[in-house]
Amino acid sequence: MSLRAAFNQLVTVTAMNLRNLPSRVGTSLVAVIGIGGVVAVLVSLLSMGEGFRAALDLSGRDDVAMILRGGSPDELSSSIGREQYNAIVIAPGIARDGRGPIVSGELYSIVDLPMRSTGTGANVPLRGVGERGPELRDGFRIVAGRMFRPGQDEVIVGRGAFSQFENIDLGREVKWGSQKWRVVGVFEAGGSVSESEIWTDAVVLRGVYRRGNTVQIIRAQLTSAEALPVVRAALDQDPRLNVAVRSEKAFYSDQSRILLALIKYVGTTIAVLMGVGAVFAALNTMYSAVSSRTREIATLRALGFGAAPVDAASWSAGFSGVRGLGSGTAEFMAGSPFRLVKHGWMHGVDQPPCQGIGGGACGRDRRGLHQRLIAERGFNVAHGRSTFRAARPGCRAHAY
């Protein structure tokens, strides 16, 4: 058989598979849904990490310094006293204007709120910010209500937190610890991680949680991104201070590294395990479908289709989610048996005439072959299905 003839047969059988797809929807969906589920799980897990990383990227700036107590891995474990605060804000490299240094001494706490979607409790950051805290966030603006008043038990809620959690509607009072707070505004901050927080006056929060005269982190505007080493060197040389200085971008990158690695490895492991299961399920479905079409595949072989085109079409249909190679072949042929011969889809292999399907003689005349196929007892046109009997051993149909 020539390469061109084999290719034409492959195209022919694959085309028949596609025409019979509507009758194979059930078995096709088994594999498609299984593999689609694996992809959905993997994409969901990886998108969580990617979304978190993107939010932190939007939050990080190279010209803003984050100053914590030396050795503290995060804000919760950090503490900076008033004397240290006063020494830090006058360091060279920190930007100043007519109102003084552009810095914000902040406190960080965690409160509990029910989620709107499930009603279950979840942790939400409650941050006390200084007077100039909003200036250090790109894109900060109040989108509903107003800014909290200094010295008052008022809070503003980030847009992300407002959409996800209950009990923080505008004008509502909520109790955390021993204090009641009134929600007076909703803010956005350029899609950064700040939008998942709740803000209040740092002085008020310090008194409520009895933090004394301390802050947990100092956020400082630098004169430029290149001023960071200058600030770090100046603070390291001051014997009164034991602090760590990082850019805002580096700080958030360090905070997210562990979580991103966890999501990546857990997501990949789960996806691999589910993928293996989906592959076996797809193979079982395909092998079961091919096994149920043994008679139809034998019919194609008896009509002269080569083994390689039939096999290749079976695999291509299986891996593309199209199940219906052999069992749809007989229905297609029953609807128009002459179509296979008329358009030259069966190409000659130069075999001598022999006894073929159902005992009928196979000649080289295409019209005669068509008439014998219609007359054959095993070809039940009325019921729209093939009931060919296998060719006798030692005899092959002559193909055209």
Side-chain angles (χ1 to χ4, degrees):
M1 180 185 298
S2 67
L3 181 61
R4 180 178 179 182
F7 177 76
N8 287 339
Q9 289 188 7
L10 173 61
V11 172
T12 299
V13 178
T14 303
M16 288 190 291
N17 293 337
L18 296 176
R19 289 189 182 94
N20 283 279
L21 180 59
S23 64
R24 310 297 171 211
V25 172
T27 53
S28 299
L29 288 178
V30 171
V32 172
I33 292 176
I35 297 174
V38 176
V39 175
V41 171
L42 178 61
V43 170
S44 298
L45 289 172
L46 295 182
S47 63
M48 289 173 56
E50 191 64 19
F52 185 66
R53 184 194 62 77
L56 294 181
D57 285 346
L58 290 173
S59 307
R61 292 171 51 186
D62 290 323
D63 62 345
V64 173
M66 307 285 280
I67 306 171
L68 294 84
R69 184 180 65 186
S72 298
D74 51 44
E75 297 179 72
L76 286 174
S77 59
S78 175
S79 179
I80 299 175
R82 171 57 61 179
E83 182 181 354
Q84 295 175 312
Y85 176 87
N86 292 334
I88 291 170
V89 299
I90 61 174
I94 293 180
R96 305 175 65 89
D97 60 11
R99 298 165 56 192
I102 307 176
V103 298
S104 174
E106 300 179 357
L107 293 100
Y108 187 87
S109 184
I110 298 294
V111 295
D112 184 76
L113 281 175
M115 298 188 68
R116 294 185 186 273
S117 57
T118 62
T120 57
N123 292 333
V124 184
L126 174 62
R127 181 179 295 276
V129 299
E131 180 183 0
R132 313 203 70 168
E135 300 177 36
L136 296 168
R137 274 78 173 184
D138 286 336
F140 176 87
R141 68 186 185 96
I142 299 295
V143 296
R146 59 175 175 82
M147 185 67 176
F148 62 80
R149 298 189 182 97
Q152 300 294 318
D153 300 332
E154 298 176 344
V155 298
I156 57 175
V157 182
R159 185 178 60 179
F162 185 80
S163 64
Q164 294 181 30
F165 299 99
E166 295 180 345
N167 301 337
I168 50 175
D169 298 324
L170 280 176
R172 183 163 184 169
E173 284 192 348
V174 58
K175 185 175 182 181
W176 294 312
S178 60
Q179 188 71 23
K180 289 185 178 181
W181 307 82
R182 181 177 294 278
V183 180
V184 296
V186 178
F187 71 91
E188 65 179 17
S192 68
V193 69
S194 296
E195 293 187 1
S196 65
E197 299 176 343
I198 300 173
W199 286 6
T200 188
D201 183 14
V203 175
V204 175
L205 188 63
R206 185 185 301 126
V208 171
Y209 284 90
R210 301 178 182 178
R211 298 288 178 86
N213 202 18
T214 65
V215 295
Q216 291 174 286
I217 188 170
I218 298 175
R219 194 181 299 256
Q221 175 70 58
L222 303 177
T223 55
S224 67
E226 291 73 22
L228 183 64
V230 177
V231 175
R232 183 182 292 117
L235 299 182
D236 287 344
Q237 293 173 4
D238 194 326
R240 297 171 297 174
L241 303 177
N242 176 25
V243 295
V245 183
R246 284 172 285 181
S247 69
E248 187 180 43
K249 180 173 290 185
F251 174 78
Y252 283 124
S253 177
D254 292 341
Q255 295 292 302
S256 64
R257 183 178 295 113
I258 296 177
L259 178 60
L260 292 177
L262 179 64
I263 292 176
K264 178 181 178 180
Y265 292 130
V266 171
T268 302
T269 301
I270 293 176
V272 168
L273 294 177
M274 293 184 65
V276 171
V279 168
F280 279 108
L283 289 175
N284 286 337
T285 302
M286 186 180 67
Y287 283 129
S288 176
V290 172
S291 177
S292 66
R293 298 193 299 269
T294 303
R295 180 181 300 175
E296 286 78 4
I297 293 176
T299 299
L300 285 174
R301 296 288 291 116
L303 287 173
F305 283 85
V310 173
D311 186 52
S314 299
W315 282 98
S316 64
F319 281 115
S320 64
V322 180
R323 307 295 187 262
L325 168 64
S327 60
T329 302
E331 286 84 351
F332 175 79
M333 287 165 44
S336 180
F338 182 63
R339 192 177 305 168
L340 292 172
V341 181
K342 177 181 177 182
H343 295 288
W345 290 350
M346 290 183 283
H347 300 273
V349 293
D350 196 22
Q351 293 288 339
C354 66
Q355 294 296 319
I357 300 172
C362 298
R364 297 186 61 86
D365 179 69
R366 297 180 179 180
R367 184 176 300 275
L369 175 60
H370 170 232
Q371 293 172 350
R372 282 189 291 275
L373 288 174
I374 296 297
E376 179 58 38
R377 291 179 303 166
F379 195 83
N380 192 342
V381 179
H383 290 82
R385 59 184 301 177
S386 172
T387 56
F388 281 123
R389 295 190 297 274
R392 290 197 294 269
C395 178
R396 295 182 57 188
H398 189 71
Y400 293 85

